[in-house]
Amino acid sequence: MKQWEVVIGIETHAQLSTQAKIFSGSSTAFGASPNVQANAVDIALPGVLPVLNRGAVECAIRFGLAVEAQIAPRSVFARKNYFYPDLPKGYQISQYELPVVVGGKLSIQIGEVEKVVRLTRAHLEEDAGKSLHEELGHQFVGKSGIDLNRAGTPLLEIVTEPDLRSAAEAVAYARVLHALVRWIGICDGNMQEGSFRCDANVSVRPVGQTHLGTRREIKNLNSFRFMQQAIDYEVQWQIATLEDGGRIEQATVLFDPDSGATRAMRSKEDAHDYRYFPDPDLLPLVIDAQWVDRMRAQMPELPAAKRDRLITDYGLSAYDAKVLTTSLELAGYYEAAVAAAGKSNAKACANWVTVDLAARLNREAREISDSCVSAEQLGGLVARIGDGTISNNIAKRVFDAMWNGEGSSADEIIARDGLQQITDSSALEALIDEVLSANATMVGEFRAGKEKAFNALVGKAMKATRGQANPQQVNELLRKKLG
Amino acid sequence: MIEQSLPALAKALATKEISSVELTQLYLDRIARHNPQLNAFITVDPARSLAQAHAADARLARGEGGPLTGIPIAHKDIFCTQGWLTTCASKMLSNFISPYDAAVITRFKAAGAVLLGKTNMDEFAMGSSNETSFFGPVKNPWNLTCVPGGSSGGSAAAVAARLAPAATGTDTGGSIRQPAALCNLTGMKPTYGVVSRYGMIAFASSLDQAGPLGRSAADCAVLLNSMAGFDERDSTSLDRPGEDYSREINAVTDGQPLAGLKIGLPAEFFGDGCSPEVMQLVEQAIAGYRKLGAETVAIRLPSMGLSVAAYYVIAPAEASSNLARFDGVRYGHRAPDYQDLNEMYSRSRAQGFGAEVKRRILIGTYVLSHGYYDAYYLQAQRIRRLIASDFAEAFRQCDVIIGPTSPSTAFKLGEKAADPVQMYLSDIYTIAVNLAGLPAISLPCGFAGGLPAGLQLIGNYFSEARLLNVAHRYQQANAWHLQSPAEL
């Protein structure tokens, strides 16, 4: 049996986080009533003209800088002509021959191996509106509705070279890209609302063959899970088809999550001739070096650089560093917590953020930006663990109290509730003596060789101190007294 | 009153010799009387116009009038006009009431001008005779069996017949200048980008430019002062300091006002292709210019011969895309019966567009198609650059270029309607100017067989004030532009 190699390239439409549309002043906010956010330009009244939103260009420049691409000093908007009811002008303004971002690369991690995915280009374009075939209400039965709120929303279409070799790699790439566009603040990444949509060009070829097989394009993958499933299915289907002696026809396909299968939407024969030509209503987009420099100065530290710095500066594990750099907000939270706790507590901060805080956020379905405990509060808490004021167990109680708004800082809560660890050994000794005399049976059992009884005595002692004793110290004192 | 210049009308309004309401009513009456024969207007709305006139009178009474306050102006029905039917002379938009004003309309409103009505035109500005209008052809006031030229034929006929003191037009390949020539008017196409295209229904975006149609260069200068200016809603609008286009006209000069002016005579304008009668009138006008102190130099525009071919690739290409929005989905004509989406599109467009518009959409679609784009569209763009560099070279040797506006006087209605190529050739002298984006003006230079002929002056970029003055000095010394057609 032949060995097959899978070849995948991804095209991603990232909706850019600008307030206004790319060629009109309308708002881009999601969820408004149909056609409320569509002005004269968006509905393509006769005579209206597009004016480029420079904010969208700045998003493209940021992206180009983040992937080490070339920012084209001159790029051109072109018209992509086709008829569809949710495309009001009868053409989409896009970039064709001269895109704004050329080349670039993105690193992905496959197990322990790092792989560099080459980008072909990224170009600016406008989104279309939406056709509504259902949910129109009884007065519109059998009709389709058009909602042009989305028409003209800025998109950055990011195209890779056919560098990916499996569904897992494709998903890894999509995840890294998703994190990056959010990190640099150009896209909210909301896949459910369609802010980040991927198309996968999939082909297979016998291992060793140099030319590419015929590809099919899976459109509109709006979750990583669907992407994995769709590509897996498509690859199996293509291999099965070829092994049965069939041929792959170039086609556009859709993934049906219910059946788990892809099905052809249109073949190459029905492919549109989009009759691209430069849009005469828009001047070429000129980006000078000063503009790029200005954008570069505003760029945040990128995930990879931050990851490396967390490892070298704070001594974090690669794993922790990776988790903490999944989003700019999380990384920012972490660094602010360390700033409050002191660098010596950096590792403890990492544990608190990635374990306790993460679990709590997860349980309450909150984002890091909506955390009830601020980075400064958490840092203050970790500092008190670090200097021995409280134990980890008490710290969890303090954390809960802060989370519930019962106190504005760890110090306040510790002082108010008297949670400080008992370190005075004479006080502790007196307490332990009480415990021993109250639990003579257990003491007897221990002396008879039952090691378990010792643990029970530690528990009794800790309970008597309401957990405020240093468990280590209690242990030592007990051994001494029983020994 | 109907022979008064715009500055004279402004003075009459300022001195209360006449009110804007009276002046507007005067023109509305003339329209009511003569438009049935001329068909120059598609929409007249006396109540609205008179309401604007009342407002203008109030403004004049406050002493806040400007050069156009209270003066009725007719607008080509290509400009979106809030609350008015805006049809572009197409069945496709025969039910379209614009919810907004074009930049040009906004500027005239701000100046206090009265919107007198919307003028007839070739459908979507595609034509040179005003015969492609869904609302029927416009007649030439000089001879009702002749065309007024196009596409701004309604505006030209209206001003020529004194149904409006002045009008706006648009010029994509000669659509202001050629009807000006055929109706004995002065009409200017400004430098591309001087007048905002916002709200002007697009035919060929890289060539379209709005401009004035009036009875004299001085009137055109007043109109252009109101029309020109940067508009951030049009990305191709030019952000330049404002200028007074009347300044050279108003400057005091001696007996030889054009002394030192170098007029270029391109060999390509004086060869075959022009009727001898028109050529004779052009030669006389050139002699007139020499008397005013100008000198002439022979120049060449070697790529001129390619301009019509390049134009009929580029303009239809852009039009095929610009007109895609007329799909029956959101506004405009929708076919009453259809089974599915494609049928709705095809029937709505088949019914909504006339033959010439369809022809150009087909040509444009073809030249942009995969496999033909390089051979046609890119090649045409190369020719366009050659033409622009021809002019750049010419303007190193001269200040303005002179030639005929149109190769003939007004032709008969129906004479060229069946022969698109003959029709296209009537723009042979005007098209290159649009391809290069230059300003040009057409002014009356005499009559042949009772029909007016036009002289074209082409200037370098942003030389509008100069061109208007060069035309004005001729009009000071000659009276062709003061001739009016016999009252109908």
Side-chain angles (χ1 to χ4, degrees):
Chain A
M1 213 170 83
K2 260 185 200 160
Q3 289 289 304
W4 295 93
E5 184 183 37
V6 178
V7 178
I8 303 165
I10 304 282
E11 294 171 18
T12 305
H13 288 90
Q15 218 172 70
L16 300 176
S17 311
T18 54
Q19 298 291 305
K21 293 185 178 180
I22 184 166
F23 298 117
S24 89
S26 295
S27 165
T28 53
F30 180 82
S33 304
N35 298 310
V36 163
Q37 288 172 179
N39 68 12
V41 174
D42 304 320
I43 67 173
L45 285 182
V48 296
L49 296 169
V51 176
L52 178 61
N53 176 350
R54 290 171 68 88
V57 179
E58 300 200 333
C59 289
I61 298 175
R62 286 170 79 85
F63 179 76
L65 291 171
V67 297
E68 297 170 51
Q70 187 201 335
I71 314 293
R74 182 177 174 279
S75 61
V76 170
F77 287 99
R79 293 186 184 177
K80 178 180 181 178
N81 295 284
Y82 65 97
F83 284 97
Y84 204 71
D86 59 24
L87 188 73
K89 295 187 294 297
Y91 57 84
Q92 178 195 29
I93 305 177
S94 182
Q95 295 189 305
Y96 185 55
E97 285 181 332
L98 297 173
V100 61
V101 173
V102 181
K105 58 188 188 332
L106 214 50
S107 287
I108 61 172
Q109 194 89 22
I110 303 299
E112 292 302 302
V113 182
E114 181 168 296
K115 171 168 182 159
V116 173
V117 181
R118 293 169 302 155
L119 302 183
T120 312
R121 60 187 275 164
H123 66 254
L124 286 164
E125 63 184 26
E126 58 180 344
D127 210 343
K130 278 180 188 161
S131 294
L132 309 169
H133 301 297
E134 297 128 24
E135 305 157 29
L136 281 178
H138 61 275
Q139 71 268 43
F140 296 116
V141 171
K143 299 196 175 189
S144 290
I146 311 291
D147 178 5
L148 297 178
N149 282 350
R150 200 182 65 183
T153 299
L155 299 176
L156 190 66
E157 181 174 334
I158 302 154
V159 184
T160 72
E161 293 288 302
D163 281 356
L164 300 156
R165 290 292 173 269
S166 66
E169 287 191 12
V171 170
Y173 162 79
R175 283 186 185 279
V176 168
L177 180 65
H178 183 253
L180 180 69
V181 295
R182 293 173 69 222
W183 185 281
I184 60 175
I186 65 167
C187 172
D188 68 15
N190 191 322
M191 296 178 80
Q192 254 159 6
E193 291 174 6
S195 300
F196 188 91
R197 335 190 269 271
C198 293
D199 305 335
N201 283 292
V202 180
S203 64
V204 297
R205 62 182 170 190
V207 167
Q209 179 180 306
T210 48
H211 64 268
L212 294 171
T214 305
R215 70 190 151 88
R216 303 212 310 166
E217 182 179 17
I218 316 171
K219 280 277 185 199
N220 266 330
L221 297 164
N222 62 0
S223 89
F224 299 125
R225 194 161 55 90
F226 290 164
M227 179 186 269
Q228 176 89 40
Q229 290 173 1
I231 295 173
D232 279 341
Y233 177 88
E234 178 65 23
V235 166
Q236 290 315 310
W237 181 88
Q238 287 190 17
I239 292 173
T241 301
L242 291 170
E243 288 185 342
D244 286 353
R247 283 186 50 199
I248 305 294
E249 301 288 342
Q250 191 174 327
T252 302
V253 307
L254 283 179
F255 175 66
D256 177 5
D258 295 330
S259 65
T262 55
R263 67 184 158 74
M265 195 164 71
R266 55 171 187 258
S267 72
K268 194 187 176 189
E269 281 71 43
D270 329 317
H272 290 289
D273 179 354
Y274 290 117
R275 308 187 310 279
Y276 283 99
F277 75 107
D279 190 335
D281 287 332
L282 291 160
L283 304 175
L285 169 58
V286 174
I287 301 174
D288 58 23
Q290 286 83 347
W291 195 4
V292 176
D293 288 345
R294 236 170 20 249
M295 298 313 298
R296 188 178 283 118
Q298 293 169 23
M299 286 293 281
E301 185 181 25
L302 292 173
K306 192 174 284 272
R307 206 154 51 232
D308 292 347
R309 192 166 56 75
L310 293 185
I311 294 168
T312 46
D313 284 14
Y314 298 141
L316 300 190
S317 68
Y319 177 80
D320 279 350
K322 188 181 159 197
V323 172
L324 287 169
T325 52
T326 46
S327 81
L328 187 63
E329 292 79 13
L330 184 61
Y333 185 101
Y334 169 71
E335 294 210 84
V338 172
K343 210 167 159 182
S344 57
N345 294 311
K347 267 194 79 75
C349 282
N351 288 335
W352 271 88
V353 171
T354 58
V355 181
D356 304 272
L357 178 69
R360 193 57 177 259
L361 291 171
N362 197 33
R363 184 158 17 115
E364 300 197 8
R366 280 175 185 271
E367 296 296 320
I368 185 73
S369 48
D370 305 322
S371 169
C372 298
V373 171
S374 71
E376 291 68 29
Q377 286 177 316
L378 187 73
L381 176 66
V382 175
R384 294 294 84 82
I385 306 167
D387 65 14
T389 308
I390 54 172
S391 66
N392 235 337
N393 275 335
I394 293 290
K396 289 186 205 301
R397 274 164 58 189
V398 177
F399 178 84
D400 284 345
M402 287 197 292
W403 186 274
N404 296 326
E406 300 156 3
S408 61
S409 72
D411 287 340
E412 181 197 319
I413 295 164
I414 293 164
R416 185 187 67 208
D417 297 351
L419 299 178
Q420 218 156 337
Q421 225 159 223
I422 301 165
T423 45
D424 176 353
S425 57
S426 60
L428 206 53
E429 268 185 70
L431 237 155
I432 283 171
D433 288 339
E434 273 176 45
V435 169
L436 291 178
S437 58
N439 294 284
T441 325
M442 281 187 198
V443 174
E445 282 172 3
F446 172 75
R447 295 227 158 98
K450 278 196 176 172
E451 190 61 24
K452 256 171 102 180
F454 181 80
N455 291 338
L457 285 167
V458 172
K460 292 280 183 195
M462 289 303 292
K463 199 176 172 190
T465 65
R466 297 188 2 256
Q468 283 166 256
N470 182 334
Q472 190 63 32
Q473 209 175 355
V474 169
N475 231 307
E476 283 164 15
L477 283 171
L478 265 178
R479 288 263 177 223
K480 200 174 87 187
K481 300 218 177 260
L482 293 171
Chain B
M1 197 53 69
I2 58 169
E3 297 299 334
Q4 297 288 319
S5 71
L6 295 182
L9 285 177
K11 197 174 167 205
L13 287 162
T15 57
K16 312 276 191 295
E17 191 187 320
I18 192 169
S19 71
S20 175
V21 169
E22 289 164 345
L23 186 64
T24 302
Q25 190 63 58
L26 171 74
Y27 280 107
L28 287 170
D29 290 346
R30 288 187 61 78
I31 293 169
R33 195 153 62 244
H34 299 303
N35 193 56
Q37 283 166 281
L38 289 173
N39 200 25
F41 284 86
I42 291 174
T43 303
V44 185
D45 188 336
R48 274 174 190 275
S49 298
L50 289 169
Q52 290 187 11
H54 272 292
D57 280 332
R59 183 167 161 181
L60 287 160
R62 293 195 302 271
E64 292 166 5
L68 286 172
T69 308
I71 297 179
I73 307 285
H75 293 290
K76 188 176 183 179
D77 207 20
I78 200 168
F79 295 103
C80 283
T81 317
Q82 192 175 0
W84 292 67
L85 205 55
T86 300
T87 69
C88 236
S90 180
K91 180 178 181 182
M92 182 56 88
L93 289 177
S94 56
N95 61 359
F96 178 68
I97 294 174
S98 176
Y100 80 106
D101 277 331
V104 163
I105 300 294
T106 303
R107 296 184 71 94
F108 274 107
K109 272 190 179 172
V114 172
L115 204 171
L116 184 59
K118 305 292 294 292
T119 59
N120 205 345
M121 53 184 284
D122 280 300
E123 184 182 7
F124 284 105
M126 297 176 189
S128 306
S129 66
N130 221 307
E131 293 170 293
T132 70
S133 169
F134 172 64
F135 299 94
V138 178
K139 316 285 169 52
N140 190 320
W142 291 90
N143 182 336
L144 295 178
T145 65
C146 289
V147 303
S151 66
S152 310
S155 287
V159 178
R162 310 312 193 231
L163 305 191
T168 57
T170 61
D171 191 317
T172 304
S175 281
I176 289 174
R177 291 161 287 157
Q178 185 252 17
L182 270 47
C183 292
N184 204 45
L185 298 177
T186 306
M188 170 169 253
K189 177 210 120 47
T191 305
Y192 183 80
V194 161
V195 178
S196 169
R197 293 186 297 115
Y198 189 80
M200 190 176 113
I201 299 174
F203 159 19
S205 312
S206 72
L207 302 162
D208 297 342
Q209 185 62 198
L213 267 160
R215 292 192 312 262
S216 67
D219 281 4
C220 284
V222 172
L223 293 168
L224 189 58
N225 276 340
S226 184
M227 297 174 80
F230 173 63
D231 181 359
E232 60 183 12
R233 297 169 301 177
D234 173 2
S235 305
T236 60
S237 168
L238 295 161
D239 193 359
R240 309 176 65 246
E243 58 177 298
D244 174 10
Y245 293 103
S246 303
R247 64 182 187 276
E248 290 193 29
I249 288 174
N250 293 334
V252 180
T253 54
D254 59 19
Q256 284 236 310
L258 298 179
L261 182 78
K262 275 193 188 161
I263 292 178
L265 305 178
E268 292 76 9
F269 281 14
F270 294 90
D272 297 340
C274 188
S275 76
E277 316 87 77
V278 170
M279 191 46 75
Q280 196 187 344
L281 295 169
V282 169
E283 300 282 5
Q284 276 173 27
I286 293 166
Y289 269 111
R290 290 200 186 96
K291 280 190 210 149
L292 295 170
E295 51 183 290
T296 55
V297 289
I299 58 163
R300 295 293 311 271
L301 296 169
S303 304
M304 266 297 295
L306 301 170
S307 61
V308 173
Y311 177 87
Y312 279 99
V313 170
I314 292 168
E318 293 181 8
S320 71
S321 176
N322 283 333
L323 270 57
R325 69 186 58 197
F326 304 112
D327 56 7
V329 173
R330 297 166 316 288
Y331 52 77
H333 177 73
R334 185 191 288 189
D337 302 305
Y338 48 86
Q339 297 301 313
D340 57 25
L341 180 63
N342 276 331
E343 209 169 272
M344 187 189 92
Y345 281 146
S346 55
R347 288 194 180 176
S348 298
R349 288 167 66 83
Q351 295 165 10
F353 292 138
E356 183 60 27
V357 172
K358 285 178 195 161
R359 175 161 29 240
R360 299 205 194 184
I361 290 174
L362 288 172
I363 294 170
T365 303
Y366 179 80
V367 299
L368 290 176
S369 298
H370 188 70
Y372 298 96
Y373 178 78
D374 289 10
Y376 290 103
Y377 186 80
L378 287 186
Q379 191 69 5
Q381 293 290 9
R382 277 182 214 114
I383 291 171
R384 192 172 183 174
R385 285 192 290 277
L386 288 179
I387 288 168
S389 61
D390 275 5
F391 278 113
E393 181 56 39
F395 285 122
R396 276 193 270 275
Q397 300 162 58
C398 64
D399 303 310
V400 298
I401 293 169
I402 278 191
T405 303
S406 172
S408 69
T409 56
F411 44 92
K412 296 282 182 197
L413 283 155
E415 184 184 327
K416 298 186 183 179
D419 187 346
V421 174
Q422 274 309 306
M423 188 71 87
Y424 297 169
L425 286 173
S426 57
D427 293 330
I428 189 164
Y429 299 121
T430 48
I431 274 174
V433 168
N434 299 76
L435 289 169
L438 293 165
I441 192 167
S442 177
L443 66 155
C445 67
F447 291 82
L451 288 167
L455 179 74
Q456 182 176 217
L457 309 179
I458 304 166
N460 211 340
Y461 300 106
F462 310 118
S463 66
E464 285 81 2
R466 161 66 65 89
L467 283 178
L468 286 160
N469 184 49
V470 173
H472 172 69
R473 298 301 165 187
Y474 181 81
Q475 292 180 337
Q476 278 187 311
N478 299 274
W480 300 120
H481 66 293
L482 299 178
Q483 304 281 314
S484 57
E487 192 76 349
L488 300 169

